[in-house]
Amino acid sequence: MNLISTTRDLADVCARLATHPFVAVDTEFLRETTFWPKLCVVQLAGPDEAVVVDTLADGIDLSSFFELMANESIVKVFHAGRQDIEIIWHRAKMIPHPVFDTQIAAMVLGHGDSVSYDQLVQRLTGHVIDKSSRFTDWSRRPLSPAQITYAEADVTHLRDVYQRLLRDLEKRGRSDWVAEEMAVLTSPDTYRQDPVDAWHRLKTRVRKPRELGVLIEVAEWRDREAQSRDVPRSRVMKDEVIGEIAIQQPVTPEALGQLRSLPKGFERSAWGLAILETVKRGLARDPKTLPRIERDRTPSNGAQATVELLKVLLRMTAERHAVAAKVIATVDDLEHIASDDEADVAALRGWRRELFGDKALALKHGRLALAIDRGRVVTVDKPDNGGASEAGSPPTPADP
């Protein structure tokens, strides 16, 4: 089996893979008990070679792997690669480029919203993946023959899926669509874990500046603790606890001890004292320097009706062009478009605007209508625009 466990062997295989136009990449990692993912295995495949790298082998140096990931002349192929790329970013402080994500390409080609790897492999290659080793403990050594076989198959199938999707994209003229999506996947902003920005991830709603100030400070404190101790955020403090602290704003041990969401005695712990100081910092923040609190964007009855019409247009557009609706626009996008013609959403930029966004605005302003033609939804231009629109023509069957 092609198991790589030494620095020299890894350097040799990376040198060979660097001579090809692409390399398929996958990782196996653990994250249940840590803040940062623990990289256990890397799988690599070129056009005629596939290997499994034991990243936990004694003394192994992964520098040649990271150099391969940084090589601009090679396309790095992932499936749902955000977590894989995050691991490389954390370990090497670099992001692979250029990249190709087969999940995104599959959505652009109409294979459904967030199509699973197993489904895609079976659909495009006819192979059924053996899942028996998927949830094994990848940190235990030695790796079993079944684990190695499973890991290697992951990238050999990925190699085949990539080549089929690439041909289909070129045939349909959609390569540029995928390229736009890769810009987000390769942006450092996608992977930065700055504690200062931690509050953005919280779903807790605050309504007053003082509450927001406390929320920001406590969320930042939690992320710093979690990162420094390398434990999940929830091990330090759960999201709902941060929300309660932001609303109650305790500044004394007695007040902190009254919070039902905290364990008994927490107020006397080192973390309890740190929280009290954090709350005081939040309350001392100048309200004028705080971010604007986003108000509830629940659409009015009229706006909600517009959103519902936009949903119909979105489904029709997705079916006609064989593109997953999710990759064209989200419900959040539709709500923004319903309330603002200049909304800063992906659906009003690039290929999405050409495919859907302009028609969405036309529908919103009455320049476009929806109708039923022989049991299917079509769009029709208003009389002053000259008859049926292109989108109202019969749906074009997807290419095989």
Side-chain angles (χ1 to χ4, degrees):
M1 294 185 181
N2 296 321
L3 179 64
I4 302 297
S5 58
T6 69
T7 300
R8 180 173 180 175
D9 286 347
L10 178 59
D12 289 345
V13 75
C14 287
R16 293 194 300 273
L17 291 171
T19 64
H20 298 293
F22 75 89
V23 58
V25 189
D26 192 22
T27 65
E28 305 297 342
F29 58 90
L30 299 178
R31 200 172 194 167
E32 288 80 3
T33 61
T34 60
F35 185 92
W36 306 109
K38 180 180 180 181
L39 179 61
C40 301
V41 171
V42 169
Q43 304 102 286
L44 301 169
D48 54 13
E49 179 179 16
V51 298
V52 176
V53 182
D54 181 357
T55 60
L56 299 181
D58 288 342
I60 193 167
D61 185 344
L62 300 181
S63 297
S64 57
F65 165 66
F66 295 130
E67 289 170 7
L68 180 67
M69 294 297 97
N71 191 327
E72 290 281 340
S73 66
I74 305 164
V75 176
K76 275 67 70 173
V77 181
F78 300 88
H79 181 85
R82 185 162 178 158
Q83 287 187 303
D84 302 305
I85 293 173
E86 181 190 7
I87 291 172
I88 297 169
W89 162 256
H90 173 60
R91 291 287 297 268
K93 292 298 180 283
M94 57 76 58
I95 292 179
H97 188 273
V99 303
F100 184 100
D101 192 309
T102 56
Q103 185 182 69
I104 293 174
M107 289 194 288
V108 166
L109 290 169
H111 289 280
D113 292 350
S114 303
V115 61
S116 75
Y117 183 60
D118 303 341
Q119 293 172 326
L120 195 59
V121 168
Q122 186 168 7
R123 188 177 300 170
L124 296 182
T125 73
H127 291 104
V128 178
I129 294 179
D130 179 2
K131 305 177 184 178
S132 59
S133 295
R134 172 171 295 179
F135 298 112
T136 57
D137 184 350
W138 290 96
S139 67
R140 296 186 64 179
R141 293 298 181 270
L143 293 167
S144 70
Q147 285 179 305
I148 298 171
T149 299
Y150 166 84
E152 185 177 337
D154 254 3
V155 282
T156 56
H157 290 315
L158 181 58
R159 172 181 62 196
D160 297 338
V161 165
Y162 163 66
Q163 293 178 97
R164 284 169 171 77
L165 290 175
L166 192 62
R167 288 195 295 268
D168 202 4
L169 286 169
E170 292 170 351
K171 180 179 180 181
R172 300 192 192 189
R174 296 183 181 181
S175 298
D176 289 344
W177 296 12
V178 174
E180 285 186 32
E181 301 311 298
M182 294 307 102
V184 176
L185 200 61
T186 56
S187 170
D189 292 338
T190 302
Y191 306 98
R192 288 195 179 103
Q193 301 270 5
D194 191 339
V196 173
D197 299 321
W199 68 277
H200 289 291
R201 287 187 289 271
L202 297 174
K203 296 182 180 180
T204 302
R205 294 290 184 183
V206 292
R207 300 178 180 178
K208 302 175 183 177
R210 285 166 61 88
E211 295 173 354
L212 179 59
V214 174
L215 182 81
I216 291 172
E217 292 289 343
V218 178
E220 178 181 346
W221 171 85
R222 181 184 67 169
D223 258 43
R224 292 194 187 283
E225 285 290 329
Q227 290 187 27
S228 65
R229 296 171 182 267
D230 195 20
V231 296
R233 293 182 179 92
S234 60
R235 292 280 184 93
V236 178
M237 184 171 287
K238 296 186 182 299
D239 289 359
E240 55 266 27
V241 180
I242 296 179
E244 185 178 3
I245 291 173
I247 294 172
Q248 299 299 329
Q249 302 159 22
V251 294
T252 66
E254 293 74 21
L256 187 62
Q258 293 298 313
L259 299 187
R260 298 175 60 184
S261 56
L262 290 172
K264 186 176 182 180
F266 179 87
E267 71 276 10
R268 295 188 297 274
S269 68
W271 276 359
L273 296 176
I275 286 294
L276 293 174
E277 292 303 314
T278 301
V279 171
K280 291 175 184 177
R281 287 199 303 272
L283 293 173
R285 295 187 64 151
D286 183 352
K288 295 179 181 178
T289 66
L290 294 172
R292 183 177 179 180
I293 297 176
E294 184 176 347
R295 302 300 179 187
D296 185 7
R297 290 191 301 101
T298 302
S300 64
N301 290 339
Q304 187 58 51
T306 301
V307 171
E308 294 304 318
L309 287 174
L310 292 176
K311 288 180 181 179
V312 175
L313 177 66
L314 176 60
R315 287 194 296 270
M316 188 204 72
T317 303
E319 290 172 3
R320 181 187 186 278
H321 294 279
V323 184
K326 180 180 178 180
V327 82
I328 299 174
T330 65
V331 173
D332 196 50
D333 287 346
L334 301 184
E335 291 177 352
H336 278 91
I337 293 171
S339 61
D340 182 3
D341 288 1
E342 304 296 328
D344 183 18
V345 296
L348 293 182
R349 296 192 295 268
W351 64 268
R352 291 179 177 86
R353 178 157 192 145
E354 182 179 350
L355 197 71
F356 171 76
D358 285 335
K359 294 180 179 65
L361 293 175
L363 178 64
K364 172 185 172 181
H365 291 290
R367 299 190 301 271
L368 196 69
L370 297 177
I372 303 296
D373 180 16
R374 289 170 288 185
R376 61 184 178 82
V377 178
V378 297
T379 58
V380 180
D381 283 336
K382 289 299 181 69
D384 58 345
N385 287 328
S389 68
E390 179 200 358
S393 59
T396 302
D399 293 328

